[in-house]
């Protein structure tokens, strides 16, 4: 009996340990994201952390606890970056941990600011101001340096189709405002015996309000009609090792044509999409260009495909091209926002030893473009990492795009959670812009998002001379990760129910508002202290 009591006391001591609670918050947040995707846990994920930092007086400790939670969360959520060790060795792990720590430092700064509120400030004002400051922290993550908002809390909420509709008002950090405030009100409900019902009321009202607003926004996207345009998405599923070997360059194009023919046989398709880096040599290579031209002319369709492009000055671009029904390359788009450490090496002139990670840089494109296929279809291309940036997607809509095409190659990351996470990021871009978005990947999960964020995955397995549809796909799109697959879709029309300005500006406005309120509160606190 004494041993049992001793064991219980030990467990209670561990549970109350602030380091344990900090780690626990990081783990729960990780579980909210794909692959586990227990997204509903987001409403209580921060409670263990807030239970210790709300009562902690030492600012350094509060900052440390936030850092620990952030480091655990980012390390687990971005674990797919470890796969880069297969390609470049140990430095990839160092880079992965530096990124996780760098993002967590912003959490630590937030924690330090949170600890400076003081006791005399109204709890209600403290909670809502803290929520606005969190929006600012995530906005900085998404924009500072090259920007990396991959782990913004709102990206976990795609399956909550009503709540996620709010990104059309204020982009993804806007969702995080409500997440943080609810978590904090629940924590105050537990800690403050006198005002617990008031704080619980705020938490419940916020959850009900955001879902009611989301229901209204979702209802305004259901009246969409469809264009009389059919598109095909092809997921060829080539291993990354093949892409490094020039002997396969022509064969990969030839086989993809065969797969496409198998998919679209006896189908009315106007446009075909192939993924990023399907053509590994310069597309102007005579043998490869001839294959593409003959294919589009024979099938009388348009082709948009990822490719490498070399210019007359020897610059090497990660691009996509549009080939029309007559076999002419009408236009190209060079990737504007390159992936750091994947396509270019930051600070390489100061840290030349980092060249062991990336031997050479890809050149960045100069401008975003749209491809006007016809009066009914204007395609705005994004290549891989660019889907992470709401400003780029919004700019394509402003340029006249009524369909965004995300061309990507995720074969670097095997079957890791990177596949599902990028898909959820893509979903948020569809809701923000109220445009349909196709997600066309070499390996992973391909398909189409409607303007409301509903996803229709590719569910047709394609081979050299055969195709067959497999089910269930809509509920479990992950089963298509390792398959050579495709899909044919009728393109939905964009929604007209969209803000006349970039919703990312709302997040910026909220961030600045929170900063101003915070500074005024600190000045008031200082004045009262004197």
């Amino acid at each position: 009996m004494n041993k049992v009591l001793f064991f219980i006391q030990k467990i209670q001591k561990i549970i109350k340990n602030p380091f344990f609670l900090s780690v626990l918050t990081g783990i729960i947040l990780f579980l909210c994201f794909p692959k586990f995707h227990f997204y509903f846990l987001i409403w209580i994920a921060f409670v263990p952390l807030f239970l210790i930092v709300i009562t902690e007086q030492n600012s350094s400790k509060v900052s440390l606890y936030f850092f620990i939670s952030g480091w655990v969360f980012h390390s687990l959520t971005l674990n797919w970056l470890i796969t880069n060790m297969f390609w470049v060795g140990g430095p990839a792990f160092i880079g992965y941990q530096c990124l996780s720590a760098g993002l967590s430092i912003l959490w630590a700064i937030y924690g330090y600011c949170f600890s400076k509120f003081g006791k005399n400030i109204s709890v209600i004002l403290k909670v809502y101001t803290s929520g606005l400051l969190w929006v600012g922290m995530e906005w900085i993550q998404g924009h500072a340096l090259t920007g990396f908002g991959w782990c913004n809390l709102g990206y976990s909420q795609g399956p909550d189709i009503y709540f996620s509709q709010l990104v059309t008002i204020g982009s993804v950090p806007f969702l995080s405002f409500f997440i943080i405030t609810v978590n904090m009100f629940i924590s105050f409900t537990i800690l403050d015996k006198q005002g617990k019902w008031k704080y619980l009321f705020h938490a419940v009202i916020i959850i009900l309000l955001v879902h009611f607003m989301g229901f209204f926004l979702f209802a305004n996207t259901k009246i969409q009609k469809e264009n009389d345009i059919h598109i095909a998405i092809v997921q060829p599923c080539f291993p990354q090792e093949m892409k490094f070997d020039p002997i396969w360059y022509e064969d990969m194009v030839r086989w993809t044509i065969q797969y496409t023919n198998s998919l679209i046989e006896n189908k009315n398709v106007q446009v075909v999409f192939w993924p990023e880096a399907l053509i590994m040599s310069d597309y102007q290579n005579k043998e490869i260009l001839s294959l593409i031209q003959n294919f589009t002319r024979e099938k009388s369709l348009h082709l948009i495909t990822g490719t490498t492009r070399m210019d007359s000055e020897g610059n090497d671009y990660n691009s996509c091209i549009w080939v029309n029904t007559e076999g002419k390359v009408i236009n190209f788009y060079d990737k504007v926002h390159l992936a750091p450490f994947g396509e270019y090496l930051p600070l390489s002139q100061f840290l030349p030893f980092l060249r062991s990670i990336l031997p050479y840089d890809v050149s960045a494109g100069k401008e975003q473009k749209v491809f006007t296929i016809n009066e009914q279809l204007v395609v705005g291309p994004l290549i891989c990492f660019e889907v992470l940036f709401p400003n780029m997607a919004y700019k394509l809509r402003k340029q006249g795009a009524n369909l965004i095409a995300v061309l990507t190659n995720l074969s670097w990351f095997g079957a890791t959670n990177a596949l599902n996470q990028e898909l959820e990021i893509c979903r948020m871009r569809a809701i923000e812009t109220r445009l349909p978005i196709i997600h066309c990947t070499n390996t992973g999960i391909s398909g189409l998002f409607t303007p409301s964020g509903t996803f229709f995955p590719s569910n047709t397995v394609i081979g050299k001379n055969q195709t067959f549809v497999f089910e269930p796909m809509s509920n479990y799109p992950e089963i298509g990760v390792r398959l050579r697959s495709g899909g044919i879709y009728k393109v939905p029309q964009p929604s007209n129910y969209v803000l006349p300005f970039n919703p990312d500006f709302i997040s910026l406005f909220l961030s600045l508002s929170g900063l101003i309120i915070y500074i005024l509160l600190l000045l008031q606190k200082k004045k009262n202290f004197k």
Side-chain angles (χ1 to χ4, degrees), residues 79 89 125 142 165 182 184 297 323 338 343 360 366 381 401 439 445 478 506:
N79 67 75
L125 185 58
Q165 298 303 307
V182 167
M184 205 173 297
R297 280 195 296 256
V323 187
L338 302 178
E343 292 171 315
Y360 67 94
K366 296 178 176 59
H439 188 257
I445 308 170
E478 294 85 355
I506 296 296

Side-chain angles (χ1 to χ4, degrees), residues 95-324:
Y96 147 69
Q97 277 301 291
C98 287
L99 175 62
S100 299
L103 294 171
S104 303
I105 287 173
L106 290 175
W107 282 43
I109 294 172
Y110 173 87
Y112 184 84
C113 294
F114 176 83
S115 68
K116 293 299 182 179
F117 271 111
K119 289 184 177 181
N120 297 325
I121 298 172
S122 160
V123 169
I124 305 296
L125 185 58
K126 180 189 294 187
V127 170
Y128 286 115
T129 305
S130 298
L132 293 174
L133 290 178
W134 187 275
V135 173
M137 190 268 290
E138 288 197 351
W139 194 92
I140 291 172
Q141 282 185 335
H143 293 79
L145 301 177
T146 65
F148 192 79
W150 191 283
C151 294
N152 285 3
L153 303 180
Y155 284 126
S156 68
Q157 296 304 296
D160 189 343
I161 198 66
Y162 293 143
F163 181 40
S164 59
Q165 298 303 307
L166 270 66
V167 299
T168 197
I169 297 176
S171 74
V172 173
F174 185 53
L175 301 186
S176 302
F177 168 77
F178 300 106
I179 291 168
I180 289 296
T181 53
V182 167
N183 273 270
M184 205 173 297
F185 275 126
I186 291 175
S187 302
F188 274 108
T189 300
I190 296 171
L191 292 172
D192 192 333
K193 302 301 181 182
Q194 293 181 342
K196 63 179 181 178
W197 296 115
K198 177 174 62 175
Y199 305 139
L200 182 61
F201 175 79
H202 275 266
V204 172
I205 287 298
I206 290 172
I207 293 175
L208 293 176
L209 178 63
V210 296
H211 285 85
F212 175 79
M213 292 170 61
F215 176 81
F216 173 77
L217 292 168
F218 182 78
N220 278 273
T221 65
K222 295 180 70 175
I223 59 174
Q224 300 307 309
K225 298 179 181 178
E226 292 178 333
N227 290 318
D228 192 24
I229 296 286
H230 288 83
I231 63 169
I233 301 171
V234 178
Q235 179 176 301
C237 208
F238 293 126
Q240 192 63 27
E241 292 84 350
M242 289 179 66
K243 292 180 170 291
F244 289 143
D245 191 344
I247 198 172
W248 298 111
Y249 288 178
E250 187 176 334
D251 284 334
M252 284 191 290
V253 175
R254 192 185 310 276
W255 291 337
T256 305
I257 290 174
Q258 292 176 351
Y259 303 149
T260 306
N261 285 333
S262 177
L263 175 68
I264 68 175
E265 186 177 8
N266 300 320
K267 302 290 195 309
N268 178 26
V269 172
Q270 288 82 43
V271 188
V272 170
F273 293 89
W274 292 350
E276 174 192 18
L278 189 280
I279 304 172
M280 288 297 294
S281 66
D282 183 82
Y283 74 90
Q284 297 173 87
N285 174 292
K286 290 183 179 179
E287 288 77 12
I288 289 177
L289 186 58
S290 178
L291 285 171
I292 294 172
Q293 290 175 326
N294 290 337
F295 166 65
T296 58
R297 280 195 296 256
E298 179 185 339
K299 297 299 180 181
S300 189
L301 50 72
H302 299 267
L303 172 66
I304 296 176
T305 178
T307 183
T308 297
R309 191 184 77 84
M310 303 285 291
D311 66 14
S312 58
E313 299 177 358
N315 294 313
D316 183 7
Y317 299 94
N318 183 0
S319 307
C320 67
I321 56 173
W322 163 30
V323 187
N324 74 357

Side-chain angles (χ1 to χ4, degrees), residues 472-505:
M473 190 61 178
S474 58
N475 294 328
Y476 305 100
E478 294 85 355
I479 65 176
V481 166
R482 295 291 191 182
L483 296 176
R484 186 166 291 113
S485 63
I488 296 175
Y489 305 90
K490 219 174 181 183
V491 180
Q493 288 185 351
S495 170
N496 293 323
Y497 194 79
V498 64
L499 289 180
F501 50 84
N502 190 341
D504 196 48
F505 291 163

Side-chain angles (χ1 to χ4, degrees), residues 345-464:
L345 196 60
L347 306 178
S348 59
Q349 65 272 37
F350 304 109
L351 304 171
F353 65 90
L354 290 176
R355 276 296 170 201
S356 61
I357 299 177
L358 189 69
Y360 67 94
D361 293 338
V362 174
S363 301
K366 296 178 176 59
E367 60 178 343
Q368 289 188 256
K369 296 180 180 179
V370 296
F371 300 156
T372 305
I373 307 298
N374 53 41
E375 292 182 357
Q376 290 182 289
L377 185 62
V378 181
V379 178
L382 294 173
I383 300 177
C384 195
F385 184 67
E386 293 180 325
V387 72
L388 188 58
F389 303 98
N391 292 334
M392 295 192 70
Y394 179 80
K395 187 173 182 179
L396 291 175
R397 171 155 188 151
K398 195 173 180 180
Q399 290 177 329
N402 56 15
L403 173 70
I404 291 178
V406 177
L407 309 183
T408 184
N409 173 31
L410 297 174
S411 58
W412 300 91
F413 307 115
T416 63
N417 53 351
L419 313 183
N420 309 72
Q421 288 175 11
E422 186 187 78
L423 204 67
E424 291 304 319
I425 292 170
C426 194
R427 186 200 302 270
M428 292 303 177
R429 297 293 87 82
I431 300 172
E432 280 173 355
T433 59
R434 289 307 196 205
L435 293 177
I437 293 184
I438 68 161
H439 188 257
C440 179
T441 179
N442 174 41
T443 61
I445 308 170
S446 298
L448 179 139
F449 286 98
T450 69
S452 67
T454 304
F455 184 55
F456 296 93
S458 300
N459 66 340
T460 302
V461 177
I462 52 179
K464 186 174 181 180

